Structure formats: C-alpha cells, structure tokens
Amino acid sequence: MFQTAFTLSLTQFARTLSLPERLQRSPARNLVLEGLRQRNLALDALFYDVNVITPEEAFYISDSLAAEGAIMIVPPSGCGALTLCETIDEFILRGGADARALAVAGIGGSALGAAAFARNVADAVDAPVAVVVSGYGIADVITEAFGGLFFFGHLKGLRPMLERLDDLAGRPKVGAYRDGTAARTSLDTRTVQALLADPRLSFRLLAGHSKGNLVLSAALHNLWKQDEARVSELAKNTKIVTIGTRIAMPSVFTDVVDVMGEWDWFGEINSRPFIHADQRIPQAWHHTNTDLGGHLPVTTTLREILAISPIIENPKLAEEQTAALGAVSEPTKPEAEVPLPSPLGGKPTATIDKVRKAFSAGILPAVQPVESSVADDLQPPTSH
C-alpha cells in the first residue's frame, strides 16, 4: 500500500508543478476539470497496479494524464521505460509496430491507470504492449452526471456526441483526431480502431479492463462495418481477453475469454447478462491493485490463459516460434528433465521461460524509450 500511495503522491505533485504552464492554454477548461482529473487519478491508483510504474515513469506522464487518444508503448518490468506518443505514425516510428498486444483500461481513464494495466499485460507476455489513454474531459463530466460512470454500457452513444464540446474547449488533437469520425465515436475508440485497422500493425492479443472492454468492442464493431476483410483477418489470429466486464465482441471473433472476479458486483451490473464468464477468480473484486486485498491478479491470470491457449494460432507464426524455441533450447538437457508449467502464481518454469524468450527475441524486440512532448492541456499543434 505504501508504494501505491507514493506513486499517487508523486504523480499529483508533478501534475501540480505543470499546472501554471497548462493554465496558459484553455485556462477555464483546465480549472474546471483539474479537480475531477485528480479524483480520477486517485481512482486509478486504487483500481490499478500502479506500484509497477517507476517514479520516473509516473513523473514523465504526469502532465498527460487526461490526453484522450494518446498511445503508450509499455515494456515489461525492468526492460526500460514506457514511451508516450501523440499520433499513430509516431507510435510506429518509435517501435510500436513490434507490439503484438493492445490493452485498454477503464475506471478513471488516466494515463497512470492505463500504463499500470499495460505493464501487467506486458509482464504476462514478456513483451512490449500498446495502450490507449481514455482521458477525462467535459464529455465525461456530463455522461457521469447522467450515470454513465456506473451504467456506461447503456449510455455509450452519449459521450461521443458530447465530445464536440471538448473540441470547442480546445482539447489536444492527439491519437486519431483527424480521421473524420468525431461525430460518431469517441476519440479513444477512434484511436483503438485506427490501430486495429492499420496494416503496418499486427496484434495477437487484445486485453481490456472494465470500461476499456466497451471501447474495444465499439472499435471492433465500427471496423467490422467499414472493413469486414480486415476484421476477419484479425479474428483468425487474435485472442481477446476481457477482465471485469463482459461486453459483446463481433461474432467473427471466436477466441474470447471473459474473466470476472468472484466478488465483482460492479462488473456484473455493467456486463451483458447473456454472456457467461469463462473464468471466475476466487475472492477477487473489480480492482487489480496487488497492494490491496481482493484484487484480480492480471499478470498471473493472463499467464494461465495463454499457457492453455497460446496467442499464436497462425501456422507460419507457429513455425517461426518453433524455430526460435530450437535456437534457445539447451541441447544437452533431455526434454524429460524439463518441468511441467505450473498453475497460477510462482516463477515461470523452464518450459514457459523458453517460450517467452523465443516470443520476445524472435517476434517482439525490445522497445527503447524515447521522450514524448504530448501534454493533455497544452495548446494542440497545428500539424503532426
């Protein structure tokens, strides 16, 4: 709990330091929203495993906490710092094309919560993960007043329309802001959709938590209406794991695992009743913060799911993985001596460790951190 409190306090302190500069641009909007953003930051600190974010990373993203549509590249713990990107082109330029997993968080919508959830996913696959920031603006305030924070599944069409107020108030033009669909979908959904539609990118795992599952579902359904061939290709090799909320995905996706906590009443009232949970985590609620009791352990849960059903289903990719496994295996050690994978918890066994080494070294090279200039309350640039 101490680490969570420290990370939250450091982020709030760094955020306060940048307030005078941010007030120079859209002062009324920033003054109105700052208190609510700080509140949502505290929510994310409680609901997400923020202790996996280093103090340097927390300071780095502090002035971009509510930059809706911003994209981050989050490597596993101890493998370098995260990278913040303003556009999809910048994301690809800084190594995003190597990411094979895309994560979307919910709850407070801050960059801190998104980074923490993505770090849990990255630790599970031992490779960098892309994550989109949901942000918090005027549209969120209004939908929250109508109950959208609680029953978000039933008011999903209200927020995109109200986001035009955010545009008029001068929010930053990051993510997929310029794709021309502002009146139909929210910016975080548009950015996720643009990432999935981009032929330069190839994701094998889509993971969402809470409201992030709604964003992921909306992006896939919108893409299905525009490009059925692209979605069908994605569905052949992509696994979807929803955590904390069961939301319907396009029917073409058959490899979907819905995970719920045994005590998660919040997730239940926001889930579709006709979708049954594939896995229930004993004595777990909606939050994923390992500093608190009753948490849902994202990393160990994903490891168990991926051990049973691997991400890579494509035969060509499977052959590449097999070749990589042979390159990293120890020829002098008989196969019979390799221990079987363990269930939840504990360190990975030798077999899983080999798969991770091959998966990371052969398919997912490490992403080097590069500094970004995105700031959620600064005047948006005229061009990218």
Side-chain angles (χ1 to χ4, degrees), residues 28-90:
R29 180 175 186 266
N30 289 319
L31 285 174
V32 169
L33 294 176
E34 186 60 26
L36 295 169
R37 289 170 174 172
Q38 291 279 2
R39 178 206 62 178
N40 279 27
L41 171 63
L43 284 175
D44 274 356
L46 290 175
F47 277 85
Y48 290 106
D49 202 19
V50 297
N51 60 83
V52 298
I53 302 300
T54 66
E56 294 79 11
E57 290 174 324
F59 197 95
Y60 170 50
I61 62 177
S62 61
D63 65 343
S64 305
L65 289 176
E68 181 183 356
I71 312 167
M72 291 183 288
I73 305 171
V74 183
S77 298
C79 295
L82 61 84
T83 303
L84 189 61
C85 307
E86 293 186 26
T87 66
I88 294 177
D89 288 336
E90 182 184 359

Side-chain angles (χ1 to χ4, degrees), residues 30 32 55 129 177 213 223 235 237 316 318 363 369:
N30 289 319
V32 169
V129 170
Y177 183 88
N213 295 320
L223 185 58
N237 306 304
K316 181 179 179 180
I363 302 176

Side-chain angles (χ1 to χ4, degrees), residues 95-115:
D98 297 322
R100 293 295 180 266
L102 173 64
V104 187
I107 306 296
S110 77
L112 180 64

